[in-house]
Every structure is written in structure tokens, then in C-alpha cells.
Amino acid sequence: MPRHGAARSPSGRPERGPSRPGGRTRYPRARRTASVNRTLEVVQQVEQIAGADPAVQDVLSVTGFSILDGAVQPNSAFLIGRLKPFEERRTADLGVDAAIARLAADANAIPEARVMPFNLPPIVGLGTGGGFDYQLQDLLGRSPDELAAAMRGLVFAANQHPDLHAVYSTWATDNPQVFLDIDRDKAQALGVQIGDIFAALQTTLGGAYVNDFNRFGRVWQVNVQGDEVDRAQFDDVFRIHVRNDQGEMVSLRALAEPELILGPQLLQRYNNYRSVSISGTPAPGRSSGDALAAMETLSDETLPTGFGFEWTGTSLQEKEAGGQTVIVLALAVLFAYLFLVALYESWSMPAAVLLSVVVAVLGAMIALWVTGEEKVHGPATLHPSSPPPPLPLAGKGSKAPPLPISRKRMHGGGLGQRGPVSCAGSSSSASRSRPIPVSSAATSRIGRPVA
């Protein structure tokens, strides 16, 4: 998957996608009353738009499943677009961000659905997409309508914030549903068990597993389900019959009264609280840390009493890892110093060697300023994932200076004696004239984000 452009965060993690070539995900969501057939028609339109993009190589679609909610929904689908190899996408207009922007603009022309293109998460398996993963929690067990109202207010305020972009949630409480009001007293009077009513509904409208049988050297399952034409209309519920304790068939019309209502398609919980997933990305030129801070500020300002939030996915990892950059860099320099002390059996000489690390980091900061990367990472900011990374710089900076000293030992005795410095310098430069430039060029190439 091509990466996002780098963005600074408190923990030093840029907002990027996985480094391997891959694709981006689109999430078409049809109208809440749409069936699978209508959703499939919209998916075919999105496939045509995505397949015509110059950066896309292949498109895979799955209809009837919500990758964001992790649930089977007839009005949802997701598509994965595989991008062309990096060698064929050298220009900026063929990068993943440009492709996502084009798809979002073209998909807005589809009035039947809401299409939300997004990149895969930076760490595969943590979250469902690039950006932040926010969980809005109902701490007091209120109704789904109140939770939806709090969610809509927060999403509206987030989309007005200059540090945030494309904040959304797929959860809603206006999905059409069939509510079956069972008269339990009448069912008991007619000798019908409540469990038998639920079993009949499950078998006819959904499906039920019966048993297995062996045939042709394989094990086959037996599942019972009503035919599609017999469970397509609202009145088909009245055609279901249930056997009572006397062996007579009782119509479900006599035991239950169906009605159409509006409600959520699923209710999820996070840390044992009813929750709603909210996703979004930082605004252009903003870091993931700025986006997290903006969402926390908006949560304190807009959420009613009794509602809270939690971070999950890569956002949770970023919050837990925040503030560790200085510790990591300090440990890197410390271990480099101890290795050099053990190598040269001296406490003073490695300190002079590590002074070159300061020059290397200063050069990296100047490079960020010249190339304009400080607009993304912040002025004079260097963190473990910024281009070029400081940890390889520390190793590279402390690698070359000890070589002339080693050559001086060969030409002029111990460390405390004066020797032919010119011989040591010329000998070391001759032996390292090729490895040092090659490895430095490789480090610079690896440190650049691949778009």
C-alpha cells in the first residue's frame, strides 16, 4: 500500500499507510432501505469509476458487509483497489492521496449512495482505515437516539475544525426494521412455547442448521431456510405456523402483531459501554497528533454529560507511545557511546566521536527546512520516523570518525601519542571512499516516504 504523506505526532509517528504496494478501500453505503440488489448496482458504478482511475490496477468488491462496522448489512459494501506498482506511478498525481481525492470527487456524482474512500491503516490489523479511531461511549445507558444525537453534534463540530478533515460515522438509528410484538399470554393459553415461535421465525426467515452427512468422501451440512419468494414481503410473516403442545398448527397472526419501526442496525460496546465508532483524518498540513488533540478538545466542549470517549487502534498506540522520542534517542546515543568505549578501551575518545552526531542531526534539520518538510513535521523537528530518520543518522555519524583513529594507531602508536595524521586520514578515506557514500545514499532513499 503506498504511504500517506508524513505528518508529525506527539509520539513521532507520521500518518502513513503500509509500505508495500497495495490498494485503498472504498466504503459505498446505499440508502438505509436499500436491498442487496440495489447495493450491488451502486457497487458496479463505483467499480467503473475506480477501474478508470490511472493509478488503479485491480478492484475487488464485497457486497452486503460493512468493513467499518464489522457487520452484515444489505445496504453496505466495501471495495479494495490495488494500485499499480511504484515504477508506474512516479508523478504526484498518481500517488495514493491524489487517487483518493479523485475517487471521492467522482463518487459524489452517485446520488444513491455515500462513498467514503480511505487508506488502509499504517499497521495492518490495528483499525480499519487510515486516520484516527475514536469511540464515543454512553456512560449512563441512555437510548440509542440520544447517543446518535451526541454523535451527530460531535461529527458536525469536528468537520468545522481546521485541524480535522472528513470526520464521519456510519452508525445511525433510522434504519427500517420489523418489530414483532408477541402476545405471550395468548401464546401460553394456546399451548405454544415462546422458544418454538423464535425457532420458526429463525428457520423460515433466516436459516437453521440441521445435521451433517457423508457423501463422496466429504462431510456436507444440512441447512433449512425459507425460499426467497416466501420471505420477501412484510405479510409473509403471517404465513408462518407454529405447532402447539397438542400437535395443532397455530398461525403466527394469532400470536404476534408486526409493525415497522426505525432503529440501529447494530449496537456495539467498547469497554462494556455502548459505543459508536467515529473515524477521520488530519487536515492537510496537520499531524495525527494535532487531530487527536482537536478531537479531545471538541469532546470536552460538545459532548453532553454522561458521554465519554476512548481511543482505539493505531490512535491508542500513538497515545500510549507519546513522549518516548527523547528516551529512544537518548538510549541510542548511550548505547553507541558504550559500544565505542568497549571497542577503543577509552572513556574520552568516544565522546569526541559522538560530536559528529550533532553535525549529522543539524544537517538533517537543514534538509527538512530546505525541502519544506518542516511544514509537516513542525519547525526544527526531528523524530524517529521523519525523513531522514535520526536513529540511522546517529549510527552513521558515529561510524565514520573512529576509522581515522584506528588508522592512526596503525601508523603512529597509541591514542595519547602524536602520529602521522595525514597518513591516517588518507588511508581511511581510501578504504571508505565507496562504502560510506553508498550507504549514506541508501539511508537517504529509505528515509523518504514513498507516495
Side-chain angles (χ1 to χ4, degrees):
M1 177 73 152
R3 304 185 180 198
H4 279 301
R8 177 178 54 84
S9 67
S11 61
R13 180 183 66 82
E15 188 64 29
R16 296 172 179 166
S19 58
R20 66 181 186 279
R24 62 189 186 277
T25 303
R26 305 123 181 138
Y27 180 78
R29 186 183 182 94
R31 299 183 184 274
R32 305 194 190 281
T33 57
S35 62
V36 176
N37 294 333
R38 293 180 59 190
T39 305
L40 183 59
E41 295 177 359
V42 175
V43 168
Q44 292 174 351
Q45 299 181 44
V46 179
E47 284 181 345
Q48 295 177 356
I49 296 176
D53 193 280
V56 177
Q57 183 174 358
D58 301 302
V59 179
L60 171 68
S61 63
V62 177
T63 305
F65 180 77
S66 170
I67 190 175
L68 298 178
D69 299 328
V72 177
Q73 300 175 355
N75 63 329
S76 300
F78 74 93
L79 295 86
I80 299 178
R82 181 176 180 84
L83 302 184
K84 296 179 181 179
F86 294 126
E87 293 76 12
E88 302 178 18
R89 298 186 296 108
R90 295 293 187 181
T91 58
D93 62 321
L94 297 179
V96 61
D97 292 330
I100 289 177
R102 284 194 301 269
L103 179 61
D106 295 340
N108 286 334
I110 303 177
E112 296 86 2
R114 178 186 179 190
V115 182
M116 296 169 287
F118 53 86
N119 205 346
L120 293 180
I123 303 176
V124 178
L126 288 180
T128 55
F132 58 81
D133 297 315
Y134 178 100
Q135 291 288 332
L136 174 62
Q137 294 178 317
D138 178 12
L139 305 179
L140 299 180
R142 300 178 179 179
S143 65
D145 291 333
E146 293 180 278
L147 180 59
M151 179 269 295
R152 288 193 295 266
L154 179 61
V155 170
F156 178 81
N159 284 310
Q160 309 301 318
H161 200 281
D163 293 343
L164 300 171
H165 174 69
V167 181
Y168 64 92
S169 177
T170 60
W171 193 78
T173 58
D174 56 350
N175 298 280
Q177 300 176 353
V178 177
F179 177 75
L180 199 60
D181 187 9
I182 300 176
D183 190 340
R184 296 174 181 263
D185 296 333
K186 190 174 183 179
Q188 184 178 6
L190 295 176
V192 178
Q193 300 294 327
I194 300 297
D196 294 339
I197 298 177
F198 292 151
L201 291 171
Q202 173 65 35
T203 302
T204 306
L205 303 180
Y209 165 78
V210 180
N211 60 3
D212 298 329
F213 70 95
N214 297 325
R215 188 79 171 179
F216 307 114
R218 297 180 57 182
V219 179
W220 304 82
Q221 282 191 0
V222 177
N223 293 276
V224 179
Q225 185 182 47
D227 196 15
E228 182 179 357
V229 296
D230 294 325
R231 51 186 174 89
Q233 303 297 325
F234 182 79
D235 294 337
D236 290 338
V237 177
F238 298 136
R239 300 171 59 189
I240 302 176
H241 290 71
V242 185
R243 191 179 302 275
N244 62 7
D245 53 5
Q246 299 177 359
E248 300 174 348
M249 302 300 294
V250 179
S251 174
L252 198 60
R253 182 189 292 270
L255 303 175
E257 183 67 29
E259 60 176 315
L260 288 175
I261 63 172
L262 298 178
Q265 284 188 333
L266 75 160
L267 293 174
Q268 64 181 14
R269 292 184 177 271
Y270 189 83
N271 286 345
N272 231 13
Y273 292 108
R274 184 179 296 172
S275 65
V276 174
S277 298
I278 299 177
S279 303
T281 58
R286 304 292 184 178
S287 70
S288 58
D290 295 335
L292 299 186
M295 287 298 296
E296 292 177 352
T297 301
L298 289 175
S299 300
D300 296 335
E301 295 175 353
T302 61
L303 289 182
T305 303
F307 291 92
F309 71 93
E310 293 283 350
W311 295 109
T312 185
T314 54
S315 301
L316 177 60
Q317 300 299 320
E318 180 176 344
K319 295 295 293 185
E320 293 180 348
Q324 297 181 3
T325 303
V326 177
I327 299 176
V328 172
L329 295 179
L331 289 176
V333 175
L334 175 62
F335 279 103
Y337 173 75
L338 294 178
F339 291 151
L340 293 175
V341 167
L343 179 62
Y344 294 103
E345 300 178 357
S346 172
W347 292 96
S348 58
M349 190 271 290
V353 170
L354 288 178
L355 291 178
S356 61
V357 177
V358 179
V359 179
V361 174
L362 179 61
M365 291 183 176
I366 294 176
L368 290 177
W369 178 76
V370 171
T371 58
E373 292 285 347
E374 86 285 349
K375 296 179 181 179
V376 177
H377 299 284
T381 300
L382 199 65
H383 53 78
S385 299
S386 64
L391 293 182
L393 284 177
K396 190 67 64 178
S398 60
K399 179 180 179 181
L403 187 59
I405 299 176
S406 301
R407 298 292 179 177
K408 183 176 182 296
R409 279 182 168 180
M410 296 172 58
H411 291 278
L415 295 174
Q417 303 176 4
R418 293 187 176 182
V421 179
S422 59
C423 294
S426 60
S427 177
S428 61
S429 60
S431 63
R432 304 296 290 177
S433 59
R434 180 177 177 275
I436 289 181
V438 171
S439 58
S440 299
T443 303
S444 301
R445 181 64 183 90
I446 295 174
R448 295 295 303 174
V450 181

